[in-house]
Amino acid sequence: MDERSIAAYDYELPAALIAQSPARRRDGARLMIVRDEAFADRTFAELAEILRPGDLLVLNETRVIRARLGARRESGGRVEVLLLHPQGGGYDPHASAWRALVRPAKRVREGDRLSLYARDGEALGSATITRTLAGGLRELHLELALAFEPFLERAGRLPLPPYIHNESEDAQERYQTVFARMPGSVAAPTAALHFTRELLERLESRGIEIAKLSLDVGLGTFAPMRGARIDEHEMHAERYAIPSDTAGRIARARAEGRRIVAAGTTVVRALEDAALAGSRSKTALFIAPGFRFRVVDAMITNFHLPRSTLLVLVSAFAGRDLVLRAYRAAIDRGYRFFSFGDAMLLQRRERRDSEA
């Protein structure tokens, strides 16, 4: 099938395999090791024994904000507001002008004033729609009765994906990595949800180097593709930052021929964009078949939705046919899919071939 067709990234998934809750232990998730035709079944807790001493593991330390808000129109109708980012770009707790998704979008028009409430029902301010955009997007102006971050703590929820029907506090806690530090994301870097502090310590004790960056996960990661061809899809930009220490570690690892292992697609996008463009603060890079990877040698990633840009990225990295065979094997073996599901470890196609 044509790799530029969106239909080439479709597959059938039994609904029972969409994980509604995480594994009991973060590192108790299953981990499929993908190499050619061999798909080995391991657990994430074994990662320290699977990676090689000298590998450089790069993590995304972004923090998911409590961006999902309940609101009411002046008529009394309920709506949901998902704050995406300040209109100026990067996360800023002092910003009053934000871009957001509003549902149901058709009921909210320019000039409408939405009342915002704490989870216990106390009124905490308002949001006025200042501009209507396509796809349910709105620009809005916040007027809050308290500072933004305390407001989010009282009014907001972590925005779990719509295919997860789990409103428990455990699900809220587990939709955040143990090393989350830099606020700004509205979706988690899900491959990193499996790490525990103990596993990170064990990785370092076995000679695996760890570095961190941040990329604010937003619409660029989870917006669905439209149309018939992947070339028709336009990525939304996402902000990222690679500290100088991390950049130095990457340069040394590359010079010494050591593997760079990305924990998740967000890390891949940040590293590969920086290699392409040098120093900049945001990326709209759409990685698709034909892309030449310059930095990442191996990737840890969860299983992604059909027809998604993430599945396209993973296919560009390891080869579409191999990835889809691995997905079929995962389905046959009962792996759990998507954000709270299991993970896989892939090598870049060119590196895999050179080591065969």
Side-chain angles (χ1 to χ4, degrees):
M1 184 177 287
D2 180 5
E3 288 190 332
R4 313 308 294 185
S5 166
I6 291 177
Y9 302 91
D10 204 357
Y11 66 92
E12 292 187 12
L13 178 70
L17 294 184
I18 300 174
Q20 294 299 314
S21 58
R24 186 176 62 83
R25 279 184 52 87
R26 286 179 182 266
D27 60 6
R30 298 171 73 185
L31 178 65
M32 175 181 279
I33 312 301
V34 177
R35 184 178 175 88
D36 300 325
E37 296 299 323
F39 307 135
D41 299 319
R42 306 287 290 272
T43 64
F44 208 89
E46 298 175 88
L47 186 65
E49 290 70 46
I50 294 167
L51 296 184
R52 307 168 188 169
D55 282 348
L56 174 61
L57 174 65
V58 186
L59 308 174
N60 183 1
E61 63 178 349
T62 188
R63 185 172 187 84
V64 185
I65 64 172
R66 292 180 171 271
R68 185 176 136 205
L69 307 173
R72 289 185 182 273
R73 294 181 294 144
E74 292 177 326
S75 64
R78 293 185 178 182
V79 295
E80 183 176 278
V81 175
L82 175 60
L83 298 177
L84 296 174
H85 55 78
Q87 286 178 207
Y91 178 76
D92 178 2
H94 303 292
S96 59
W98 280 72
R99 185 162 288 194
L101 282 169
V102 179
R103 296 286 187 267
K106 292 181 180 178
R107 297 183 183 178
V108 180
R109 298 179 175 84
E110 195 169 307
D112 285 355
R113 184 173 180 273
L114 308 176
S115 297
L116 302 172
Y117 295 90
R119 293 190 298 279
D120 62 10
E122 181 183 351
L124 293 179
S126 65
T128 302
I129 307 301
T130 57
R131 188 179 175 198
T132 302
L133 305 172
L137 284 169
R138 300 289 187 270
E139 291 180 359
L140 52 81
H141 178 77
L142 296 174
E143 294 184 58
L144 305 177
L146 66 170
F148 181 72
E149 290 182 335
F151 162 77
L152 289 188
E153 284 299 315
R154 294 192 57 193
R157 304 268 296 167
L158 296 186
L160 273 63
Y163 52 76
I164 294 178
H165 311 293
N166 182 349
E167 293 293 330
S168 70
E169 289 306 312
D170 180 65
Q172 288 280 301
E173 178 189 351
R174 293 288 297 277
Y175 196 66
Q176 193 82 270
T177 67
V178 298
F179 47 80
R181 189 176 69 89
M182 304 294 290
S185 282
V186 295
T190 55
L193 294 176
H194 306 297
F195 287 95
T196 63
R197 299 191 188 283
E198 294 78 12
L199 176 56
L200 292 169
E201 291 173 2
R202 200 160 72 251
L203 284 160
E204 290 188 305
S205 72
R206 289 183 59 85
I208 294 151
E209 190 177 3
I210 295 174
K212 295 175 183 176
L213 55 76
S214 64
L215 181 143
D216 292 342
V217 189
L219 275 182
T221 293
F222 62 78
M225 292 188 292
R226 310 291 186 189
R229 311 281 296 173
I230 63 174
D231 308 280
E232 299 170 17
H233 181 72
E234 184 177 347
M235 294 287 285
H236 294 263
E238 294 172 318
R239 296 183 70 88
Y240 70 91
I242 300 177
S244 58
D245 177 71
T246 295
R249 290 170 184 262
I250 291 166
R252 286 192 296 274
R254 294 178 71 186
E256 295 166 3
R258 294 186 283 123
R259 289 196 312 175
I260 296 170
V261 182
T265 57
T266 60
V267 173
V268 174
R269 288 186 72 221
L271 293 181
E272 295 296 337
D273 184 82
L276 274 174
S279 177
R280 67 179 179 189
S281 61
K282 62 182 179 180
T283 177
L285 178 64
F286 183 13
I287 296 177
F291 181 83
R292 185 170 73 85
F293 292 87
R294 293 162 171 80
V295 181
V296 180
D297 300 300
M299 181 197 328
I300 302 163
T301 184
N302 280 21
F303 294 89
H304 301 294
L305 274 72
R307 295 174 173 252
S308 65
T309 60
L310 302 182
L311 183 53
V312 173
L313 183 156
V314 171
S315 297
F317 185 79
R320 173 183 162 274
D321 289 344
L322 177 63
V323 167
L324 290 182
R325 286 199 302 273
Y327 271 50
R328 287 192 291 271
I331 291 169
D332 291 343
R333 299 176 190 186
Y335 274 69
R336 302 165 75 242
F337 277 59
F338 307 157
S339 293
F340 278 154
D342 298 314
M344 62 197 315
L345 174 63
L346 299 157
Q347 282 208 97
R348 192 178 78 222
R349 176 163 43 186
E350 296 88 348
R351 178 125 188 180
R352 187 175 72 242
D353 293 343
S354 70
E355 295 180 358

